[in-house]
Amino acid sequence: MAPTKVSILGKEDIIVDYNIWGSYIARDLLNTVQSSTYVLITDTNLGHRYLPSFEQSFGEAVLQIGAESRLLTYQIPPGETSKSRATKAEIEDWMLSEERNPPCDTKTVIIALGGGVIGDMIGFVAATFKRGIRFVQVPTSLLAMVDSSIGGKTAIDTPAGKNLVGAFWQPSKIYIDLDFLNSLPIREFINGLAEVIKTAAIWSEEEFGALEANANSLMIAVKRSPEIGNARLSEVRGILKGIVLGSVRVKAYVVSADEREGGLRNLLNFGHSIGHAIEGLLTPQILHGECVAIGMVLEAVLARHLGVLKGSAVSRLIKCLANYELPTSCKDPIVQERSGSKRFSVDQILSVMGVDKKNDGRKKRIVLLAGIGRTYEPRASVVADRDIRIILSSAILVSPSKSSALQVTCTPPGSKSISNRALVLAALGQGTCRIKNLLHSDDTEVMLDALVKLQGAAFSWEEDGEVLVVKGNSGNLRAGDNELYLGNAGTASRFLTTVATMAEPTTRDSSILTGNRRMKARPIGPLVDALRANGAVVDFMEKEGSLPLKIKASKGFEGGEITLAATVSSQYVSSLLMCAPYAKKPVTLRLIGGRPISQPYIDMTTAMMASFGLRVTRSITEDYTYYIPQGIYSNPTEYNIESDASSATYPLAVAAISGTTCTVPNIGSTSLQGDAKFAVDVLKPMGCIVEQTETSTTVTGPSVGSLRPIQEVDMEPMTDAFLTASVLAAVAQGASGKSTTRITGIANQRVKECNRIRAMTEQLANFGVTCRELPDGIEIDGVNYADLQESHNGVDCYDDHRVAMSFSVLATIAPHNTLIRERECVGKTWPGWWDTLSQSFGVTLGGIDLEQFLPARTEPSAIEQRSIFIIGMRGAGKTTTGTWAASALGWPCIDLDTQLEKEAGCTIPEIIRENGWDEFRARELALLKKIMVEKPLEHIFPCGGGIVEMPEARQLLTDYHKSGGIVLLVNRAIEDVMEFLRIDKTRPAYVEDMMGVWLRRKPWFHECSNFQYNIYKSGVISLIRASQDFSRFLRTITGRCRPLEAIRRNEHSFFVALTVADVSTALTALEEVVVGSDAVELRVDLLEDPFQVGRPPPTEYVADQLATLRSLNSLPIIFTVRTKCQGGNFPDNALEEILALYHLALRMGVEFLDVEMQHPEPIIHSIVRVKGQTKIIASYHDPKGELAWSGGSWVPYYSKALQYGDIIKLVGLAKEQADNASLLTFKSWAKSAHDTPIIAINMGPEGQLSRIQNLFLTPVSHPALPYKAAPGQLSAADIRKGLALHGAIKPKQFYLFGKPIALSRSPALHNSLFKACGLPHMYGLVETAEVSETQKILRSNDFGGGSVTIPLKLDIMQYLDEISIDARTIGAVNTIVVDRSKIRDRGPGPYLIGFNTDWQGMTLSLTNAGVTTGLGQSALVIGGGGTARAAIYALHSIGYSPLFVLGRSPHKLAALVESFPKEYRVRILSSIQDAKSAERIPTVAIGTIPADNPIDPSLREALCHLFHSPKDDPLQPKILLEMAYKPRVTALMQLAEDAGWITIPGLEALSGQGYYQFGKWTGITPLYRDARAAVMSDDQKYCT
């Protein structure tokens, strides 16, 4: 059979068929598009596959025909980046080159073989080469076949946008070989289907229906591997050719009628106006067709908003796109994942839309649908920005309604409850049923999708989506191949749980039901219990009692007698009722626990079952008992779904609150729904006029502000409507002054999409309305509507449609505009609600982009606030770490063992001795349960070591961490634990071998925890570091510490790669190695366990190494495992070991995890999904130099890294210096497209320049390390020197201001540190006692920072823009920092911040001397001057209390004490008697008195008493820090030393304050010993 030809512009120039590439095209070209030179241009991905065969066919055809023609070929890099001016010029130069012998001329024919990029760009080459030559399109992608290859549009991209430079240039021929599609990647195939759907949507409902009907078979074929060749599409060849021809014919017809896009051709841009804008912001990660799919949905929603398209058509379009796995929203998880969750504002989209070629000047033109298969106008329509903004924005602003005397008729969407039941019944039934007025919503879409996946029925649409045709499958279902994702659809989840038990096994023996985070918190336990008791096998996969569920396909449950608690949800009852006829025995369903909740919904279910041919009998002798016969539903020919009565309450409530009239024409007194009574039972008592017939309801509200409160109303028959009643009650006022409405019977509303009772209480409070929660209801104190307050942060809807719609009712009368967050959540039941509010009630709406207009919320998230449980062996350090955690987070710590003893009134050994171990364990479990319920937030709970011995406790802890809480395992070397247990007698001894206990509990500890902390070693110094490290660890895993944000603020940042086999061997060098870096990389692949030489390090060894590194290093850790093919040392095939190490890193809370993108997708997915607060560095290494930065070959790897990474790391190999320039160009492109930070460098000697130019987290080495982690690595200091030489780091001047300073050691300190870090700065002296002499220096552009000493520490403040808290409290500035991220508002010059580092120098000196904490101890400050203030601040920061001050001047000391807050507890010792009566004897003292005079006798007497106090604890070390610098040993020091005190000279504090100064100036933490050495090098000459 000959190929199909399609006419365009009067010629049959489009040829479509299978297998025409090669001989057919070669012969046809030579006969119909004759030339002496043919130039075939393709990309490097296609060239090797298709060029050789065509060259052979072309040669054979030339010989057969006898033509004198030649074929030239040229290949360009693939991808959108090639669609550029540069590539176009490259091709033209190649064609004009003498090397073509002869060069191409005006008769040359270009053949474009490829997708849209090739066709667009090569067509433009043809249009301009020699003023225009012929060209031929051979599209290889579906997108190009049905769209870009037809019509003559050619173009290239520019920085300003896509396709902005081009020409209309018609191809001479278009050859569409459908066999190309056999090798098309799955995503590219689906991408092209978007254009097919678009064409059908604007032109032919018949074609659209065919796409709907064939979606399943087409997708099965498409998702087969492209590697299988022609067999891939063999089963859908006819279908595929039909849909391609359908699109091709439409496009050809439109182009022929409007070649130059004067009007009709605009229609082909449906979805493109918004879609192109999104593509411009998300390319290349999101493909053209994917963006157009999102654009089609948004433009259809826009048409619905404008009143020209029915909601059913929008839903039908969304369903069709979803069936082909195309995204329908920018929030689609796949879009978020592939784009790296890139954010953009509505203004950005509108800005890009502003350059659309269809626009009429500033007026935007968009193609609006009027129905499936037809458009509103035969051209694009002008649409206002205001309307576009509404449908693009995440929130909506509702203005008070100014309309009065309205008479509105409003038909809400079909009932959600009836729609979902009808879908289940019709699918389980026999025969065909036409369902009318089906609700088109998220919930019903979820239900439809799940029933299709379970093969429960066939669905098709008629009458523009108004009628759903269901062909039931008589209850014959099959287990789904994919999990059934239900979003937040509670009704669907409960109905489908029972339905899924009816399935037969296929390749899978079970179905999985899952949902979003909110869905996973909603209960389903009672239904599962009932099913399990009746033989069904249902497993909770995460949290007990909630989704996700694994449901075994068992062809139905057993039947017989079933008992069910129906006091939580009537949906459990309905789920069992509807499926009961298919049980293996007739069912008797008994509802227990008292009166069922929402009885009308149960009655609705039984009535609908009768409509489908099966009658349920309700017992007349037993309460709440139902008899269900076996059978198969018989589908009625037609079933009409009445409007949703819950939804109908909103338009009726608008009438009630605004004094207008509204009629709902299809809900009346005979309704199946309990909520139909809302008008009569609620609105009428509130003062409305209600007229209700059997089939309609009309409400007329009283005058505005005249609604009356209802003393009490039981809303149990219509619980969902209580939210509507609540907002009316908020403005209801009684004549007698009583304005309280009491609503009861709604306890089930606490477990809906959210806790609705609490939601209404909290959100109404934002309007100034007082509410009180009741056990089963709510009380609302109404206010005058004019007194409603403005809710400044808007209404938080909790992703609950009913919350959003209820508050939109209140917003119509509120005196201020009301912001409703989460605009789209109404899609659950009434997607067009906002359109109805605008079109029917005349309410003015506005779109608000929350991210752009509202401040980010800074309060902790619920996850961050959840209590923390600590588990581990007794003696591992749970109580110690619990205390640290309490200190770090400011939460109470309750040791559960101690709490148990407190509640029991005796010790644990006594409990066991008197009652036995079982009783002790029972009490321990009961306490755990109670604590989890009573104290779910902001507590620390160290648990008993044996808590994991109980299966129920293990389940509780496991569920807790799987639901987002933290269960922390504290590990300590088992040998250390055993040594501790030999000493500790406060707990019962183990009755078995301790090692055996540890080995038994070890897997349980891991199962029950999601984080672990390894305590490295004991000892005072180690405990200090461990407490600091633990605090960092805890703040990181709870999201309070965000190292990535801090690093990104630095102009230059680095991480040092440790190249050691054992971290402990690098302890002495570690402090030096990390200087100047912002993070440290643990190269796990370079570690080697000395007991397993030559093998990958085991996880326990790595855990010890990680703990060692953390205990001795304060920098964030990058955890990296590099395999041999990636340039590392780990075996390439050890994927299981790598995955285990990645999970270990996440458990131990590393700040950064390097994940190589060469790993299989399942490994990457499994890590990214559970990364928590750890940031992923998505890396790709090309150690062989196979990729080039120019030409786009790195783009796919960049895109993949963007999909998974918080940071992208790309490492190539430089072969020449030009590669570094190409890399910079690539980085510039990446940074302009996405905000995700990128590390991009070249390895090798030629690539060293790229390391200098990288700027963000450059990997560095250090001379003290054994070797470099990668060839070409430099040190951080080397790179800074290079940056300085290139002018990237400008030299700055730093000064010391004050007098006298001639002998200061500060220049030596800072200049030596600048040099060590590779910085070009200089530090000098400005000796002056006049602060005015500093002003010019402070305002100079090269001023880098300053030190301040006497007498200027207070006077300098007037020239600073900001003073830190420490400097304000102390009353002195000793450090000036330049903040170049801020701009002064007081004239030119840098922004200056004043700090005080004197106190930090003091704390560092004390810490280095062994001080851990001051808790429970007092301290002494000797003196009352400025330095004494810093000393008080320092000692308070460590925790000492009270703080005693001793000096000569009582008046001066009193003023000093008065200036500090009372919580500092500063006390004056004015005499020897005060010293003797001190409540605590100080263990630490800081001397701040001059040392050049003898100590005052009265002071000396008091000091002697304090230093020699008989109250001393002889085991407690006592330390004096002397702040005077000379003599080397002062009289005060001698006095203290004589009493056995440890003394610290003041130069130590000077070193410390300078150490902190340097860090504040440069962002670099220097090596303390270097700072100290510079100060101490000549301790005989100093002045400050």
Side-chain angles (χ1 to χ4, degrees), residues 11 13 185 391 395 638 831 922 1227 1445 1533:
K11 298 179 182 178
D13 286 339
I391 64 102
E638 187 171 287
K1227 281 184 69 174
V1445 291
M1533 292 172 71

Side-chain angles (χ1 to χ4, degrees), residues 521-642:
R522 298 175 69 179
I524 203 165
L527 176 58
V528 171
D529 290 343
L531 288 170
R532 283 174 169 174
N534 204 249
V537 180
V538 185
D539 296 324
F540 296 111
M541 299 178 69
E542 291 180 12
K543 181 182 177 183
E544 193 77 14
S546 299
L547 266 62
L549 303 176
K550 184 177 182 181
I551 304 170
K552 186 174 182 180
S554 51
K555 300 183 182 179
F557 48 90
E558 289 299 320
E561 290 209 4
I562 301 176
T563 58
L564 175 68
T567 54
V568 175
S569 174
S570 64
Q571 293 172 358
Y572 301 158
V573 183
S574 295
S575 180
L576 286 170
L577 283 170
M578 289 189 290
C579 297
Y582 297 85
K584 295 165 187 176
K585 292 183 289 187
V587 172
T588 297
L589 178 60
R590 303 183 194 281
L591 307 183
I592 59 174
R595 180 184 177 189
I597 194 77
S598 303
Q599 180 68 45
Y601 286 99
I602 300 173
D603 298 340
M604 175 195 292
T605 302
T606 58
M608 291 183 66
M609 290 171 69
S611 298
F612 281 79
L614 283 170
R615 293 191 175 274
V616 176
T617 302
R618 184 172 179 177
S619 174
I620 57 174
T621 59
E622 298 179 77
D623 288 340
Y624 315 125
T625 300
Y626 298 84
Y627 304 106
I628 306 99
Q630 288 178 297
I632 296 174
Y633 293 117
S634 176
N635 285 340
T637 304
E638 187 171 287
Y639 190 87
N640 288 294
I641 294 174
E642 64 183 54

Side-chain angles (χ1 to χ4, degrees), residues 54-171:
F54 188 77
E55 287 173 329
Q56 180 178 346
S57 297
F58 186 87
E60 291 170 355
V62 166
L63 292 175
Q64 290 172 4
I65 296 172
E68 294 185 1
S69 301
R70 62 174 177 163
L71 176 68
L72 305 176
T73 63
Y74 191 77
Q75 299 181 51
I76 63 173
E80 192 78 25
T81 52
S82 287
K83 193 174 166 182
S84 64
R85 292 184 177 117
T87 308
K88 179 176 182 287
E90 177 187 316
I91 294 169
E92 291 165 341
D93 290 345
W94 179 85
M95 292 174 64
L96 291 168
S97 171
E98 291 292 337
E99 294 178 9
R100 303 291 76 78
N101 191 27
C104 299
D105 56 23
T106 56
K107 294 183 173 56
T108 297
V109 174
I110 305 181
I111 305 166
L113 172 68
V117 169
I118 290 286
D120 284 2
M121 204 261 297
I122 301 309
F124 191 34
V125 170
T128 57
F129 188 83
K130 301 280 187 178
R131 295 195 175 93
I133 60 175
R134 293 170 295 167
F135 89 109
V136 171
Q137 289 270 23
V138 186
T140 58
S141 70
L142 180 58
L143 186 66
M145 290 177 182
V146 300
D147 184 43
S148 62
S149 67
I150 304 169
K153 281 188 181 181
T154 72
I156 56 173
D157 299 338
T158 72
K162 290 171 59 68
N163 300 326
L164 295 183
V165 177
F168 283 96
W169 193 251
Q170 295 295 341

Side-chain angles (χ1 to χ4, degrees), residues 1196-1339:
Y1197 303 100
Y1198 170 80
S1199 298
K1200 185 175 181 180
L1202 182 68
Q1203 180 176 335
Y1204 294 111
D1206 302 289
I1207 298 169
I1208 297 169
K1209 182 184 179 188
L1210 305 177
V1211 182
L1213 178 67
K1215 299 171 184 175
E1216 57 186 11
Q1217 285 298 313
D1219 293 333
N1220 298 320
S1222 299
L1223 186 153
L1224 277 181
T1225 302
F1226 179 89
K1227 281 184 69 174
S1228 177
W1229 164 80
K1231 287 179 179 179
S1232 67
H1234 294 277
D1235 188 50
T1236 304
I1238 180 171
I1239 306 165
I1241 56 174
N1242 283 321
M1243 291 185 289
E1246 295 289 344
Q1248 287 187 331
L1249 179 60
S1250 71
R1251 296 177 183 273
I1252 295 174
Q1253 295 170 329
N1254 181 63
L1255 305 184
F1256 174 76
L1257 270 187
T1258 305
V1260 297
S1261 185
H1262 192 279
L1265 288 170
Y1267 56 90
K1268 297 178 180 180
Q1273 268 191 355
L1274 302 167
S1275 71
D1278 288 337
I1279 291 177
R1280 287 193 178 95
K1281 290 175 185 175
L1283 289 168
L1285 288 172
H1286 281 77
I1289 296 180
K1290 302 289 191 299
K1292 298 295 179 184
Q1293 299 299 316
F1294 294 77
Y1295 300 96
L1296 170 63
F1297 303 106
K1299 187 175 183 178
I1301 57 174
L1303 297 179
S1304 171
R1305 298 300 301 158
S1306 293
L1309 186 158
H1310 291 299
N1311 285 327
S1312 65
L1313 294 181
F1314 287 144
K1315 183 177 180 181
C1317 294
L1319 293 170
H1321 311 319
M1322 289 298 294
Y1323 185 101
L1325 302 176
V1326 176
E1327 188 159 9
T1328 180
E1330 297 297 327
V1331 72
S1332 59
E1333 295 180 11
T1334 68
Q1335 187 174 9
K1336 184 176 180 180
I1337 296 174
L1338 295 176
R1339 296 294 164 231

Side-chain angles (χ1 to χ4, degrees), residues 341-603:
S341 298
K342 182 178 180 181
R343 297 181 179 183
F344 45 81
S345 67
V346 172
D347 281 345
Q348 285 177 281
I349 296 179
L350 290 171
S351 175
V352 178
M353 289 178 68
V355 297
D356 193 305
K357 299 182 294 296
K358 298 186 301 298
N359 291 346
D360 180 5
R362 292 185 177 273
K363 296 178 182 178
K364 294 182 175 65
R365 289 187 175 274
I366 294 177
V367 177
L368 300 177
L369 286 185
I372 298 298
R374 63 188 190 278
T375 58
Y376 176 60
E377 293 184 276
R379 67 189 64 82
S381 304
V382 173
V383 181
D385 278 11
R386 177 185 181 85
D387 293 314
I388 301 171
R389 186 179 293 279
I390 287 173
I391 64 102
L392 291 177
S393 296
S394 57
I396 198 156
L397 194 69
V398 183
S399 299
S401 175
K402 294 181 173 58
S403 302
S404 59
L406 282 175
Q407 292 193 339
V408 174
T409 298
C410 177
T411 304
S415 160
K416 176 166 75 84
S417 300
I418 298 175
S419 291
N420 275 314
R421 286 166 172 79
L423 288 173
V424 171
L425 294 171
L428 297 181
Q430 187 176 40
T432 298
C433 178
R434 301 176 80 251
I435 299 178
K436 292 185 175 181
N437 199 35
L438 180 79
L439 171 67
H440 293 276
S441 72
D442 296 345
D443 271 28
T444 53
E445 292 298 334
V446 160
M447 180 67 84
L448 278 167
D449 185 59
L451 291 171
V452 168
K453 288 180 178 176
L454 291 170
Q455 300 180 41
F459 301 99
S460 60
W461 295 97
E462 292 181 356
E463 297 181 25
D464 214 8
E466 295 291 304
V467 176
L468 176 68
V469 181
V470 183
K471 293 182 179 179
N473 202 20
S474 305
N476 297 310
L477 293 86
R478 294 177 175 273
D481 290 334
N482 300 307
E483 66 180 25
L484 306 179
Y485 180 77
L486 308 179
N488 196 24
T491 306
S493 72
R494 286 151 183 172
F495 289 0
L496 289 167
T497 295
T498 309
V499 169
T501 66
M502 298 171 57
E504 297 181 19
T506 54
T507 53
R508 298 180 62 163
D509 64 355
S510 59
S511 299
I512 294 174
L513 269 61
T514 188
N516 65 12
R517 181 175 59 82
R518 290 186 189 272
M519 189 70 250
K520 290 181 179 182
R522 298 175 69 179
I524 203 165
L527 176 58
V528 171
D529 290 343
L531 288 170
R532 283 174 169 174
N534 204 249
V537 180
V538 185
D539 296 324
F540 296 111
M541 299 178 69
E542 291 180 12
K543 181 182 177 183
E544 193 77 14
S546 299
L547 266 62
L549 303 176
K550 184 177 182 181
I551 304 170
K552 186 174 182 180
S554 51
K555 300 183 182 179
F557 48 90
E558 289 299 320
E561 290 209 4
I562 301 176
T563 58
L564 175 68
T567 54
V568 175
S569 174
S570 64
Q571 293 172 358
Y572 301 158
V573 183
S574 295
S575 180
L576 286 170
L577 283 170
M578 289 189 290
C579 297
Y582 297 85
K584 295 165 187 176
K585 292 183 289 187
V587 172
T588 297
L589 178 60
R590 303 183 194 281
L591 307 183
I592 59 174
R595 180 184 177 189
I597 194 77
S598 303
Q599 180 68 45
Y601 286 99
I602 300 173
D603 298 340

